[in-house]
Amino acid sequence: MCGIVGYAGRERAAEELFEGLKKLEYRGYDSAGISTCDRGEIFTAKRGGRVEELLPYLKALSGTVGIGHTRWATHGEANDVNAHPHACGKFSVVHNGIIENYAELRAELAASGHQFISQTDSEVVAHLLDFYYDGDLADAVRLACARLKGCWALAVLCADFDGFAVTRRSSSAILGEGDGYFAASDIYALCGRAHSYCVMEDGDIAIVTPRGITIYDCNLIPVKRAFEQLNEEGEEVGTGDCPHYMLKEIRQNARTIRATCNKFSYIPNLPALKKRLEDSDKIVLVGCGTAYNAALAAVRLLGGAYDCPVSAHIASEARYDPPRVTEKSVCIAVSQSGETADTLRAAEIAREAGAYLIAVTNVGYSAITRIADKVLPVCAGAEVCVAATKSYIGQLACFHLMASLNNIGVRMSELLKVAGGVEDIASGGAYARVIAKLCVQSRAVFFLGRGVDVDVAVEGSLKLKEVSYIFSDGYPAGELKHGTLALVDETVLSVVLICDEALAEKSKNAVEQILSRRGKVAIVTTLPHVYEEFKGRVNASWLLPPAPAHLSHFLSSTALQLIAYRAAVLAGRDPDKPRNLAKSVTVE
Ligand code: F6R
């Protein structure tokens, strides 16, 4: 959602914060702002729009301590006034999260003379700090937070103080040490600037100055938190030789499969994990968006491997209508960020009901890892593009490995082999361009498939609509004649996936049905005979490298990710920052 940063050191804070915000922009890009403090005076610049909008104002922000924010609007539209930081008296505040009781606090403070200028929930925090301040920043933070309900990561600048305070509850906040002292919503903002980092605990209050960081618990008792070395993520910064992160990250799909396999071999106690899965009375998976779509694939993989019911649940539904679990059940929370509020809550509910909780996540220090009994890492590296690509591929790899704990070596070599095919697809692009052009020229795009191809179709459709804004749907090919066929005409494209020999004849029927209604068709297949049969009869066809059906989703989903990327670029969209979306959805 939003991203917050803080800096205290010897350099000018404005430029340091600006760099940090640019790295966090994927968490929200509706508006941005920075406050710095210099000899008792606070300087602020904030604007609706992207972080770049702040560039002309940086020079005017003097001082070597400051805080910054990039916003994904929840309360109040994205404009200059609603942009953070919010100020009151000696305070300037940035916030990531939601203050659920802001309306009642606002009314209370207004009654004692406080005047509010924005429509945000966050402004109330600045006023509360001003209300409670008695010369001690940490104490004002403690007292203000005691009044809040909801979730927050806050960075607070006070004109009286050469530094800033950071605190959190349920939203992430990381501290960093390097050439100066840092705070940020996630580690990515610290890359290249800090040499070590520390994940703050819920309730912690950190006081960050140019001389160091002191951490207190919520009662202001000093606590020790471990700082860990910050290493490999540094290499991820920048788009490299690709014009966008989305393309760079699709090209890292193969690397992600290899790294996930490699890391899996070192997970401690795999025999115990196997036994837990074998003995479970049911396995339930929870996730949102792409992570849920990966869970659909897991249902097939784990369902084929373990002798118990396996089901996937959309986390925002599961938190209010939880699947029934027992102490013999396993709940698998799937989340790239590990911070998605609905997934966290659905997982917590399952755990409270006794289930063993496994987190399949790409972020090793995320909130989900702190509540899970077991963490299975997806080794995609930092995923910056809002659209999930390589993390989905990594999640698939992780589920394959979980499904083959009996004979993991064989599955690993299959995965490493298919990674080669994924690499070939990702580094090419001619077919993706042709199909992307058809997408852009169509009123709607449907993705169809059977068996393993259905899950790929659903995810391919999500990817296309989110980055290109073209209307799209993904569903089982057999369902075509039960409704959607009514929409098919010469303005509509159907992308038909045919990667399972056993189901190919049936999927071919769907193609014929669409062609006979003059619908446009693109075929994506791993089967040479299907390609030959339709080549020339359909608008486009893409023959992928051969792969057994159960592994074909690595190839076909890489192909669909590339099609979505190319369609976004052709349609003039920014694939890395789709409108209205943000990565890491930490609010309900
Ligand atoms: C789609 C996308 C979102 C996320 C969803 C869950 O490309 O990125 O649908 O998959 O918000 O996020 P995580 O996996 O971080 O829980």
Side-chain angles (χ1 to χ4, degrees), residues 386-398:
V386 166
T389 53
K390 58 178 178 170
S391 62
Y392 171 76
I393 295 290
Q395 287 158 358
L396 295 183
C398 197

Side-chain angles (χ1 to χ4, degrees), residues 286 288 315-320 322-323 331 333 338-353 357 367-368 371 588:
V286 293
C288 299
S316 55
E317 291 293 312
R319 66 183 290 178
Y320 296 110
C331 173
E339 302 283 347
T340 299
D342 287 324
T343 306
L344 283 171
R345 188 64 201 128
E348 265 165 6
I349 291 170
R351 195 161 189 269
E352 280 156 19
L357 181 60
I368 197 75
I371 59 168
E588 202 179 331

